[in-house]
Amino acid sequence: MNMRLLIVTAAIVYTANCAIKCVQGTNGTAEATACATASETKCSGPKFVEYTGLSTGVNYACGACAGETGGVTCQECTGTDTTTGCNKAVDTGADFKCHKYTYDTETKAFKKADALETCKRLKDTAIKCNMPKTNATQTTYTSTSGCGACKTADTETHCEACTTDSCNKSSAIRVAVLLAPLLAVLVNLI
């Protein structure tokens, strides 16, 4: 019985003095290493923002997020003694592209940008792009990249979403494509 008590006590003392392991530095796929301070309980790292990607300027580290970055550009987790580290890089899916729209105050209409935006996503997140509907205004359509789903209030009335790479082309272009065959038939009839 005394031997069991000695073993349990030794295990408790050892566990209490073990440092947690966190991924540290700029490489989120690196193996987790022991934190310098045995009293540390948290690991931190850059926050992944859906359709935008990893926040910049935040390293993987032992300890809580610095200052007021927690939940904004940095995320925390409870550390363990495993070699993977609770703050390892998240699994991401393949990037995709969407068209970005900006509001032209002179024409009072949205204009599609020439270049496509690169959208980032997590491994299990579906591809989604959005675009303004013809009745959208500067205040009713507020997407800044075209990446991701419509904001709830925008859905149905001022924003349209689609689910394939580069799918958010202008409604006017889609109407023209649909009307082209009809126009061809009318020209042949005349």
Side-chain angles (χ1 to χ4, degrees):
M1 181 73 160
N2 286 338
M3 184 58 118
R4 285 185 190 172
L5 183 59
L6 181 62
I7 291 172
V8 169
T9 304
I12 291 171
V13 169
Y14 174 76
T15 305
N17 290 325
C18 281
I20 62 167
K21 292 182 180 179
C22 301
V23 174
Q24 299 176 52
T26 57
N27 181 2
T29 60
E31 189 172 297
T33 55
C35 295
T37 308
S39 62
E40 201 62 70
T41 60
K42 293 194 178 288
C43 300
S44 59
K47 181 178 180 181
F48 186 89
V49 178
E50 199 71 77
Y51 303 112
T52 302
L54 278 178
S55 297
T56 57
V58 178
N59 285 338
Y60 295 88
C62 291
C65 294
E68 296 181 15
T69 61
V72 180
T73 58
C74 178
Q75 59 189 22
E76 301 173 353
C77 56
T78 302
T80 63
D81 63 354
T82 65
T83 55
T84 54
C86 67
N87 65 334
K88 68 179 181 170
V90 294
D91 292 332
T92 58
D95 291 351
F96 63 98
K97 302 213 180 256
C98 292
H99 296 278
K100 176 180 180 176
Y101 289 85
T102 54
Y103 190 75
D104 185 333
T105 54
E106 286 184 25
T107 63
K108 304 272 190 244
F110 282 93
K111 180 182 175 189
K112 184 177 70 162
D114 293 333
L116 288 164
E117 290 285 314
T118 300
C119 309
K120 309 279 185 182
R121 64 189 174 120
L122 294 172
K123 181 182 172 187
D124 295 327
T125 300
I127 293 174
K128 284 200 179 184
C129 296
N130 68 72
M131 66 182 170
K133 287 187 173 182
T134 54
N135 64 339
T137 66
Q138 187 174 10
T139 56
T140 60
Y141 176 76
T142 56
S143 177
T144 57
S145 69
C147 299
C150 296
K151 295 180 180 172
T152 305
D154 294 343
T155 308
E156 302 300 325
T157 57
H158 302 287
C159 178
E160 185 175 340
C162 54
T163 58
T164 57
D165 193 316
S166 309
C167 61
N168 63 336
K169 295 176 181 76
S170 168
S171 298
I173 292 171
R174 287 185 299 187
V175 169
V177 169
L178 291 174
L179 291 178
L182 182 60
L183 214 55
V185 169
L186 287 174
V187 168
N188 285 332
L189 291 175
I190 296 179

